[in-house]
Amino acid sequence: MAQAQILSRNQQIVLDIIEKAKGPLKAYSILFNVQKKGINAPQQIYRALDKLIEMGKIHKIESKNAFVACRSSDCEISKATAFSICESCEMVDEISDTKLSKYLSSFNHKKGMKFKRFNLEFFGLCKKCK
Amino acid sequence: MAQAQILSRNQQIVLDIIEKAKGPLKAYSILFNVQKKGINAPQQIYRALDKLIEMGKIHKIESKNAFVACRSSDCEISKATAFSICESCEMVDEISDTKLSKYLSSFNHKKGMKFKRFNLEFFGLCKKCK
DNA sequence: ATAATAAATGTTATATTATAACACTGTGTT
DNA sequence: AACACAGTGTTATAATATAACATTTATTAT
């Protein structure tokens, strides 16, 4: 069993903000939110974000340049991510569907590529906005 | 049957560069490549890119902020995109796999979201780099 | 305990990616 | 002609991300 990760000060501050948020947060919006805690520069945010991603605590939504907390049961290093994104309200929801994950993890590209990781982003209208 | 799209001058210039390229191109690298043709400003590139994406002529690789020509048989508006990306040589390959596409297009999110479009990016090592 | 190593921090500067805003041009209506 | 519309050119600026370097803190080995 993997040992619980110990986070550094800045990593914890950044993770707290992202976990409290209702939706994806952008790096600079995180920065503005933590300036009262003594974090002043983008670098500090991006470094924390990088580590948190490595740890699988958060994910980056590539199409939005924004970051969300990982909600899947165990937060190991994430090799398989999928999200549904509402194009109206911008809501992002992590999809944890075992079948989907298995299907994609075992997907074999004709050209003989061996995959380590994938990221899938679905776009549409959520239940509310529909 | 959809009529062949007529491209504007700038759209054609940008598409030509992207089609000639071996891999994904970034907006500013396109810009530097077309300055001899009288295109001077990022806006002109981004406007062309936006239209070309709308037309399905090119795709954006979100994780790289780069653009590739669509290689799939018919270049209609693209609602279902998938790519394999080599983490070593940065090669990007469009995956056109009917089964995969059908599987994902019919994927139904529990939370009742209706999808219009998806983008999938696989990461790993290509045959050469393996 | 201490030296050595690795990880994280703080800071300034700068690179890269992308959009806003406005004036203008060409083309096709009606 | 008057109008609408898509595309263009241009200047300025916003938003996202990294480089580089000095310092501090934590971890490990001896």
Side-chain angles (χ1 to χ4, degrees), chain A residues 26-28 42-43 46-47 60 65:
Chain A
K26 305 203 147 216
Y28 277 74
Q43 265 292 11
Y46 282 104
R47 284 199 287 231
K60 180 172 187 180
N65 299 315

Side-chain angles (χ1 to χ4, degrees), chain A residues 103 107-110, chain B residues 72-74 80 82 94-106 118:
Chain A
Y103 181 87
F107 178 81
N108 221 326
H109 190 26
K110 292 161 200 153
Chain B
S72 93
S73 48
D74 79 313
E94 185 167 0
I95 297 172
S96 44
D97 181 299
T98 316
K99 268 193 186 174
L100 174 65
S101 182
K102 273 190 186 162
Y103 181 87
L104 291 176
S105 297
S106 67
F118 68 80

Side-chain angles (χ1 to χ4, degrees), chain B:
Chain B
M1 171 131 177
Q3 202 202 320
Q5 292 270 8
I6 291 161
L7 301 181
S8 77
R9 193 187 102 94
N10 289 0
Q11 287 159 14
Q12 191 64 61
I13 291 171
V14 170
L15 180 59
D16 285 348
I17 297 263
I18 297 176
E19 282 182 336
K20 268 182 236 144
K22 283 171 196 157
L25 290 184
K26 304 204 147 216
Y28 276 76
S29 115
I30 296 169
L31 176 57
F32 298 141
N33 272 284
V34 298
Q35 288 188 322
K36 50 198 164 202
K37 303 212 172 171
I39 297 184
N40 306 300
Q43 265 292 11
Q44 298 172 284
I45 303 299
Y46 282 105
R47 283 196 289 228
L49 290 171
D50 286 348
K51 291 296 176 184
L52 291 169
I53 288 171
E54 261 182 50
M55 295 174 197
K57 298 279 185 195
I58 64 170
H59 305 298
K60 180 173 187 181
I61 310 299
E62 295 287 357
S63 60
K64 300 170 80 74
N65 298 315
F67 304 85
V68 291
C70 176
R71 307 289 187 197
S72 93
S73 48
D74 79 313
C75 284
E76 300 296 322
I77 293 164
S78 43
K79 294 173 174 166
T81 50
F83 304 94
S84 65
I85 301 168
C86 177
E87 287 176 315
S88 166
C89 71
E90 309 257 290
M91 175 229 56
V92 170
D93 208 34
E94 185 167 0
I95 297 172
S96 44
D97 181 299
T98 316
K99 268 193 186 174
L100 174 65
S101 182
K102 273 190 186 162
Y103 181 87
L104 291 176
S105 297
S106 67
F107 179 81
N108 220 326
H109 191 26
K110 292 160 200 155
K111 302 240 173 96
M113 190 157 160
K114 176 75 187 163
F115 301 127
K116 279 191 242 165
R117 174 168 85 78
F118 68 80
N119 179 58
L120 171 58
E121 299 181 8
F122 282 105
F123 303 87
L125 293 177
C126 72
K127 217 171 179 176
K128 279 185 196 167
C129 295
K130 213 160 44 183

Side-chain angles (χ1 to χ4, degrees), chain A residues 48-103:
Chain A
L49 290 171
D50 286 348
K51 291 296 176 184
L52 292 168
I53 288 170
E54 261 181 50
M55 293 175 197
K57 298 280 184 194
I58 64 170
H59 305 299
K60 180 172 187 180
I61 310 300
E62 296 286 358
S63 61
K64 298 170 81 73
N65 299 315
F67 304 85
V68 292
C70 175
R71 308 290 188 196
S72 92
S73 48
D74 78 314
C75 284
E76 300 297 321
I77 293 163
S78 42
K79 295 173 174 167
T81 50
F83 305 94
S84 65
I85 301 168
C86 177
E87 286 178 313
S88 166
C89 70
E90 308 258 288
M91 175 227 56
V92 170
D93 209 34
E94 186 168 359
I95 297 173
S96 42
D97 180 300
T98 315
K99 268 191 185 173
L100 174 64
S101 182
K102 275 189 186 160
Y103 181 87

Side-chain angles (χ1 to χ4, degrees), chain A residues 25-33 42 45-46:
Chain A
L25 290 184
K26 305 203 147 216
Y28 277 74
S29 115
I30 296 170
L31 176 57
F32 298 140
N33 272 285
I45 302 298
Y46 282 104

